[in-house]
């Protein structure tokens, strides 16, 4: 007798090799015609670029947006970003947000410097620069004895920035999340102001949308003008990575939406119900797509069972794509970002805690 939950069965179904995946069951919102049960939304508010940015974030002020039957409060906006904005977000997530005092999965084990791993790994390609190794904490007095020591000997010896970048899985923004206690009890750093302005702009535009086919009120009545990003997590997925089904429920404020965007490889995203016994809906998320979990969907199980290789857009993977971007001079050359984004998905999510 099968004791697995409906969500677990779906995770196994979509973890299969690419050639065996049944695409007829996956909702693709970029398709010209949409599956039954998918409804286009009329957004009531413009999506506006923060005025301080010297380039346009969005391709239009009223992007297309969708919701899906059975998931009240779920809102998906297929890539509203300009190509330059996607590259800016990639730079933010790989260079700016991974520096202290933000924490990463590597902090307990290595003495990470103030310069981002991505920047250091890019500099290691320059043979005129001295090559550096980053010391392990495990054999030093700085290692936290309450942390379980990994069995992999990689973590107990110095490692190059490039090797560590390959093992970067997440970083936390703003209120620092403790994965052991499941609480925000590791201190507070400033949530990146520009990313916060982006999340606020999205929160405003998804306030009170209506369905295009029927003038019915949506399930997101939260006033987006009250939104502020207190905490966030950036996840870094390689082509083999997954995210098990879970619910984000640590925050005291569960009325405000959880907002996320995706950069890089496509993925199959599962959105279920408030228990693992609800059969989840598979959705194809592409680079640039924005997803907001509002209302009832804020407490829905969700996960990523599949990353799709060779799906990053050319605006990210071309070696010279970002050379003329306004902010290019502040970061490593785009030729270093392109190979990473060809083989990774970056997901940034934000939530209001109070």
């Amino acid at each position: 007798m099968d004791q697995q939950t409906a969500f677990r069965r779906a995770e196994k179904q979509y973890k299969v090799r690419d050639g065996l995946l049944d695409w007829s069951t996956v909702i693709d919102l970029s398709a010209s015609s949409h599956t039954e049960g998918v409804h286009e939304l009329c957004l009531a508010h413009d999506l506006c670029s923060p005025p301080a940015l010297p380039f346009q974030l969005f391709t239009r002020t009223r992007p297309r947006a969708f919701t899906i039957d059975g998931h009240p409060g779920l809102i998906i906006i297929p890539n509203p970003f300009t190509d330059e904005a996607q590259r800016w977000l990639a730079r933010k997530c790989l260079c700016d947000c991974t520096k202290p005092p933000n924490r990463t999965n590597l902090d307990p084990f290595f003495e990470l410097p103030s310069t981002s791993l991505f920047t250091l790994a890019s500099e290691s390609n320059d043979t005129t620069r001295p090559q550096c190794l980053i010391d392990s904490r495990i054999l030093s007095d700085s290692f936290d004895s309450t942390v379980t020591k990994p069995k992999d000997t990689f973590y107990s010896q110095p490692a190059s920035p490039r090797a560590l970048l390959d093992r970067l899985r997440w970083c936390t923004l703003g209120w620092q999340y403790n994965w052991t206690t499941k609480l925000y009890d590791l201190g507070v750093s400033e949530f990146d102001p520009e990313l916060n302005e982006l999340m606020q702009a999205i929160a405003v535009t998804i306030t009170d949308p209506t369905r295009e086919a029927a003038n019915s009120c949506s399930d997101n009545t939260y006033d987006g003008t009250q939104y502020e990003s207190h905490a966030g997590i950036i996840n870094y997925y390689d082509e083999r990575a997954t995210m098990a089904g879970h619910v984000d429920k640590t925050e005291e404020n569960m009325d405000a939406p959880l907002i996320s965007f995706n950069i890089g490889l496509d993925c199959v995203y599962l959105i279920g119900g408030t228990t693992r016994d609800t059969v989840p809906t598979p959705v194809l998320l592409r680079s640039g797509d924005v997803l907001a979990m509002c209302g009832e969907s804020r407490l829905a199980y969700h996960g990523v069972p599949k990353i799709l290789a060779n799906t990053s857009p050319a605006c990210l993977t071309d070696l010279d794509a970002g050379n003329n971007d306004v902010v290019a001079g502040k970061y490593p050359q785009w030729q270093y970002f392109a190979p990473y984004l060809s083989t990774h998905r970056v997901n940034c999510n934000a939530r209001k805690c109070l």
Side-chain angles (χ1 to χ4, degrees):
M1 183 176 178
D2 186 1
Q3 299 296 317
Q4 292 182 337
T5 64
F7 201 102
R8 181 58 182 148
R9 286 194 294 272
E11 287 178 315
K12 294 181 69 175
Q13 176 183 351
Y14 292 102
K15 279 183 182 178
V16 298
R17 294 197 303 272
D18 292 353
L20 300 177
L21 192 60
D22 182 5
W23 286 106
S24 67
T25 62
V26 180
I27 293 175
D28 182 1
L29 295 175
S30 67
S32 56
S33 59
H34 297 114
T35 308
E36 182 179 352
V38 174
H39 303 279
E40 187 154 4
L41 297 173
C42 293
L43 298 177
H45 307 277
D46 287 348
L47 183 58
C48 301
S49 293
L53 288 180
F55 58 91
Q56 276 296 316
L57 270 184
F58 307 114
T59 56
R60 54 195 294 192
T61 55
R62 293 288 177 96
R64 301 185 75 186
F66 300 90
T67 191
I68 300 171
D69 280 351
H71 306 289
L74 180 72
I75 299 174
I76 302 175
I77 303 176
N79 182 22
F81 298 109
T82 63
D83 290 352
E84 184 169 2
Q86 284 206 54
R87 293 190 292 268
W88 173 72
L89 291 171
R91 289 172 168 123
K92 278 270 175 199
C93 292
L94 286 168
C95 295
D96 296 343
C97 295
T98 54
K99 296 187 291 188
N102 291 339
R103 295 171 180 261
T104 76
N105 61 295
L106 299 170
D107 276 275
F109 312 113
F110 292 94
E111 302 277 3
L112 297 183
S114 58
T115 303
S116 74
L117 286 176
F118 191 90
T119 299
L120 291 173
S122 302
E123 291 174 350
S124 69
N125 289 281
D126 185 350
T127 56
T128 66
R129 291 176 177 265
Q131 303 301 297
C132 69
L133 291 177
I134 296 173
D135 290 332
S136 170
R137 292 183 187 271
I138 289 182
L139 300 180
S140 72
D141 294 338
S142 65
F143 182 68
D144 184 350
S145 60
T146 64
V147 175
T148 302
K149 292 183 179 180
K151 294 180 180 179
D152 190 342
T153 57
F154 172 87
Y155 293 90
S156 60
Q157 55 194 346
S160 69
R162 180 174 297 280
L164 290 176
L165 182 63
D166 288 340
R167 297 186 182 229
L168 179 65
R169 297 293 177 263
W170 53 260
C171 74
T172 49
L173 312 177
W175 295 19
Q176 297 296 295
Y177 186 70
N178 187 328
W179 299 87
T180 301
T181 64
K182 308 297 185 186
L183 298 171
Y184 293 106
D185 60 7
L186 292 176
V188 177
S189 64
E190 181 185 31
F191 196 103
D192 184 281
E194 292 173 325
L195 285 183
N196 179 47
E197 288 183 341
L198 165 62
M199 297 301 187
Q200 288 174 325
I202 294 170
V204 168
T205 202
I206 62 173
T207 301
D208 287 328
T210 55
R211 294 193 179 188
E212 190 175 68
N215 190 26
S216 59
C217 193
S218 80
D219 294 294
N220 181 34
T221 56
Y222 180 81
D223 180 1
T225 63
Q226 302 301 307
Y227 187 87
E228 181 179 358
S229 305
H230 289 143
I233 300 171
I234 302 177
N235 294 300
Y236 306 90
Y237 298 79
D238 63 23
E239 294 166 339
R240 298 163 296 173
T242 61
M243 176 69 75
H246 65 285
V247 175
D248 296 289
K249 57 183 179 181
T250 300
E251 299 72 35
E252 183 177 325
N253 186 331
M254 299 300 291
D255 296 323
L258 190 155
I259 301 171
S260 68
F261 62 78
N262 308 277
I263 300 293
L265 295 173
D266 299 351
C267 75
V268 175
Y269 173 84
L270 295 179
I271 177 70
T274 55
T275 75
R276 294 180 188 272
D277 295 322
T278 301
V279 177
T281 300
V283 183
L284 179 65
L285 292 182
R286 300 182 184 275
S287 187
D289 288 356
V290 171
L291 184 144
M293 300 174 70
C294 317
E296 289 184 34
S297 75
R298 181 64 177 80
L299 283 170
Y301 277 89
H302 56 284
V304 177
K306 183 72 174 176
I307 304 294
L308 302 169
N310 303 313
T311 54
S312 290
C315 69
L316 301 179
T317 60
D318 286 353
L319 293 177
D320 58 354
N323 290 351
N324 296 319
D325 291 347
V326 173
V327 300
K330 296 170 54 180
Y331 299 94
Q333 294 179 9
W334 192 257
Q335 64 179 336
Y336 301 120
F337 288 93
Y340 184 92
L341 295 168
S342 296
T343 57
H344 288 79
R345 171 182 182 252
V346 179
N347 172 265
C348 177
N349 62 74
R351 63 285 306 275
K352 180 178 172 67
C353 297
L354 295 177

